[in-house]
Amino acid sequence: MLADTKNSRAELRETVMLRARVVDSRGTHEARISDVSARGLLGTMESPPTRGDFISIHFPGQEVGGQVRWVNGRRFGVRLRERVDAASIGSGKRQVRQTKGPSAANGASEMSLSTALVTYGVLCLTALSTAYLIVTYIIL
């Protein structure tokens, strides 16, 4: 267990003092980010998100997403969905993503929270419409 803990913090961390906007299920809130690595970050908020929540963090010129892995008082840790350049977040510069192989050609990209909500809304409406038609023509 101790070796596993040591490995999980093996990535280089960038100590930063950044303001960010955190979007979670409750809305948008201001946060301070004080530590960033390639796969995670440490933040502080008045009312942090709940452990397990998927959130989006908006920095100037960049947006990252991930899952809240722990909460302790006003502090929280996030495991990011994809690797980021910690130095680019710390400097405020936009990160240039390098794509490999066919995944970029297939159009695979991350969705923002609002895009995901719209997509799931359309899927729900389609499912309800289909259920209504099935009930109408089978039962009646």
Side-chain angles (χ1 to χ4, degrees), residues 3 31 39 42 44 47 51-52 57 64 68 70 72 88 94 105 107 121:
R39 293 292 298 181
L42 168 69
T44 305
S47 178
R51 182 174 184 251
I57 303 105
V64 295
V68 177
W70 60 267
N72 184 1
S88 72
R94 180 174 219 104

Side-chain angles (χ1 to χ4, degrees), residues 95-123:
Q95 179 180 353
V96 178
R97 293 185 184 171
Q98 295 178 349
T99 57
K100 294 182 188 178
S103 64
N106 292 337
S109 64
E110 286 190 42
M111 283 193 281
S112 69
L113 182 60
S114 60
T115 304
L117 289 174
V118 169
T119 302
Y120 287 117
V122 170
L123 287 173

